[in-house]
Amino acid sequence: MRLARVAAVAAALVAWSGLILQYWILAGALGLGLASWRFVGFFTILTNIGAALVATAIGLGKDNRLAAPRARLMGLTAILTVGIVYSLLLRSTWNPAGLQKVADIALHDATPLLFAIVWALMPHGELRWGDVKWALVPPALYLIYAMARGAIDGWYAYWFLNPSTQTAAQLAASIAGVLGLFATIAAAAIALDRLIGTRRRSAEAG
C-alpha cells in the first residue's frame, strides 16, 4: 500500500503539473476568459482533473469515496480511454513543440501510465460486473455537456463529436464507439480486479 501511495503522489504531481502548464499555454494564446472556457471543454482536461483528484486522495491516504474502488475504476477507464483515443484519432492531427509538447505528453501519456500503475498497486477484489455502468457515467455526462456547449458557440473539442462535419449516422457511430471503448476497458479492469483479488486472497490463505 505504501508503494501505491508513492506512485499516486507521482501521478498526481504529473497530472496537476500538466494541467497547470496547459492552462498557462492556453491563457497566453487566448486570454483568461476564452482560455478558461476552452480549458474545461476538453474531456482530456476534465479526466486529468478527476485522475489527479483520485491520485491525490490515495497519495494522502484519505479513506473516502475518491479513493474507493469505483472511483478508481472510473478514473482508470477514463484516463486510459484518453490515452487510447488520442493515440488512435488525434495524435496525428497536430505536431506540438516546446512546452506544448511537454503538456501533451503529461496529459495523454504519462498520467494514463502512472494512474494505471497506481490502480494495479491498490487492493483488489471488491468490484462487481455491474460496476461497468459507473465507468460509463463520465463519458455520458461529457457527451451531453459537449454537445450542449457546441450548440451554444459552435466549438467542439473533438472532430468526431462535431455534427457539422459528419452525418448523423457517423456521429452516432462515433459516440457508440467511444462508449463501447469505455465499456470494454471497464470490463477488462473489473475482470483483472477480480482475478488479482482472488489470487491475493488465496496467497494469504495459503
Side-chain angles (χ1 to χ4, degrees), residues 10-21:
L13 287 174
V14 169
W16 289 125
S17 298
L19 287 164
I20 292 170
L21 178 58

Side-chain angles (χ1 to χ4, degrees), residues 109-185:
D109 300 309
T111 300
L113 175 60
L114 289 170
F115 195 90
I117 292 172
V118 174
W119 184 87
L121 292 172
M122 291 294 289
H124 291 279
E126 295 185 35
L127 293 176
R128 299 294 178 266
W129 292 113
D131 290 326
V132 167
K133 64 179 179 292
W134 291 102
L136 296 179
V137 170
L141 291 177
Y142 178 77
L143 288 170
I144 296 171
Y145 167 66
M147 302 310 288
R149 281 179 56 110
I152 293 172
D153 65 5
W155 179 80
Y156 295 86
Y158 307 103
W159 62 263
F160 51 85
L161 295 181
N162 190 341
S164 67
T165 61
Q166 54 189 329
T167 66
Q170 289 173 326
L171 178 61
S174 295
I175 292 174
V178 170
L179 292 176
L181 179 58
F182 266 86
T184 300
I185 293 175

Side-chain angles (χ1 to χ4, degrees), residues 3-205:
L3 185 58
R5 290 182 62 185
V6 172
V9 170
L13 287 174
V14 169
W16 289 125
S17 298
L19 287 164
I20 292 170
L21 178 58
Q22 184 61 74
Y23 182 76
W24 182 76
I25 293 171
L26 279 178
L30 304 175
L32 290 177
L34 183 56
S36 298
W37 176 243
R38 289 287 175 87
F39 188 72
V40 295
F42 290 95
F43 185 74
T44 293
I45 297 299
L46 298 175
T47 295
N48 270 272
I49 291 174
L53 288 171
V54 173
T56 299
I58 295 171
L60 293 175
K62 297 294 185 181
D63 186 15
N64 57 38
R65 291 185 179 181
L66 278 177
R70 283 178 178 171
R72 300 199 303 267
L73 173 67
M74 293 167 70
L76 177 73
T77 304
I79 200 66
L80 287 184
T81 301
V82 162
I84 292 171
V85 170
Y86 182 75
S87 294
L88 293 178
L89 301 178
L90 301 171
R91 194 184 299 274
S92 62
T93 63
W94 73 323
N95 186 29
L99 290 178
Q100 182 59 72
K101 182 69 173 180
V102 175
D104 185 71
I105 292 173
L107 299 175
H108 298 105
D109 300 309
T111 300
L113 175 60
L114 289 170
F115 195 90
I117 292 172
V118 174
W119 184 87
L121 292 172
M122 291 294 289
H124 291 279
E126 295 185 35
L127 293 176
R128 299 294 178 266
W129 292 113
D131 290 326
V132 167
K133 64 179 179 292
W134 291 102
L136 296 179
V137 170
L141 291 177
Y142 178 77
L143 288 170
I144 296 171
Y145 167 66
M147 302 310 288
R149 281 179 56 110
I152 293 172
D153 65 5
W155 179 80
Y156 295 86
Y158 307 103
W159 62 263
F160 51 85
L161 295 181
N162 190 341
S164 67
T165 61
Q166 54 189 329
T167 66
Q170 289 173 326
L171 178 61
S174 295
I175 292 174
V178 170
L179 292 176
L181 179 58
F182 266 86
T184 300
I185 293 175
I190 291 172
L192 187 57
D193 173 83
R194 293 166 68 88
L195 177 62
I196 294 174
T198 299
R199 289 188 173 181
R200 286 182 180 175
R201 284 192 296 269
S202 297
E204 292 171 359

